[in-house]
Amino acid sequence: MSTKPAARPRWLKPDEERAWRAYRRVMVAVSTGTSRDLAAIGLSEPDYEVLSTLSERPDHTSGLGEQADKMGWSRSRLSRHATRMEARGLLRRTPDPNDGRGCLLTLTAQGLTALEDAAPTHVESVRRHFIDRLDPEDLSAIERIARKLEERTAGD
């Protein structure tokens, strides 16, 4: 599928541009707040995402490609990040018997401890920067909007 813009771009209407800019401001503000809170305890947002998703997997293990897809990253980007996490003892990389070019990422005991220690800070940060600022109707609207955007993305 081509990512080239149409010959004549469909410029955003004022209300569309306001909505887009508001969405971007919210994403930056929430991400900045939660990133800062995690950094204070020695983890990055990507560290936390890798640790938390590995903790949910059988044997705390996932293929690098599968993990990269889940995070929306390229394999090479995740591979470099996993190398840094492995050096810190948070995960272990082993050859993937089903993919000669790939590897498996496995959460280590140290990584699980880091996740368990970080989880209370992370959830409190999510509450402070996002959940507690919204009412139940707002949260429902966000879920509904996310489902629409996910459906469209899956079909692209």
Side-chain angles (χ1 to χ4, degrees), residues 47-63 67 70 85 90-92 104-108 112 115:
D47 290 341
Y48 192 86
E49 177 72 12
V50 170
L51 294 175
S52 65
T53 55
L54 286 176
S55 75
E56 298 164 353
R57 301 285 305 173
D59 300 322
H60 296 166
T61 300
S62 179
Q67 186 73 25
K70 184 171 179 76
M85 290 181 74
L90 300 173
L91 59 81
R92 182 177 63 253
L104 298 175
L105 305 177
T106 303
L107 187 62
T108 62
L112 185 57
L115 176 63

Side-chain angles (χ1 to χ4, degrees), residues 130-141:
F130 184 71
I131 299 294
D132 292 346
R133 295 176 177 215
L134 303 171
D135 59 39
E137 294 80 18
D138 295 331
L139 295 173
S140 293

Side-chain angles (χ1 to χ4, degrees), residues 18-130:
R18 283 192 311 274
W20 171 248
R21 290 179 184 264
Y23 166 78
R24 295 291 303 152
R25 282 192 308 274
V26 166
M27 291 299 298
V28 169
V30 171
S31 182
T32 298
T34 56
S35 292
R36 187 178 328 126
D37 293 343
L38 281 172
I41 58 172
L43 291 176
S44 67
E45 287 266 357
D47 290 341
Y48 192 86
E49 177 72 12
V50 170
L51 294 175
S52 65
T53 55
L54 286 176
S55 75
E56 298 164 353
R57 301 285 305 173
D59 300 322
H60 296 166
T61 300
S62 179
L64 182 109
E66 182 182 356
Q67 186 73 25
D69 288 345
K70 184 171 179 76
M71 295 178 68
W73 284 19
S74 69
R75 288 172 64 120
S76 61
R77 179 180 179 191
L78 180 57
S79 181
R80 287 189 302 274
H81 191 80
T83 297
R84 292 188 296 272
M85 290 181 74
E86 185 176 33
R88 292 164 47 210
L90 300 173
L91 59 81
R92 182 177 63 253
R93 295 163 49 121
T94 56
D96 185 342
N98 299 318
D99 180 357
R101 298 175 300 131
C103 70
L104 298 175
L105 305 177
T106 303
L107 187 62
T108 62
Q110 182 178 338
L112 185 57
T113 298
L115 176 63
E116 290 168 346
D117 290 348
T121 298
H122 183 256
V123 75
E124 190 53 42
S125 182
V126 169
R127 285 200 163 284
R128 183 172 60 256
H129 297 292
F130 184 71

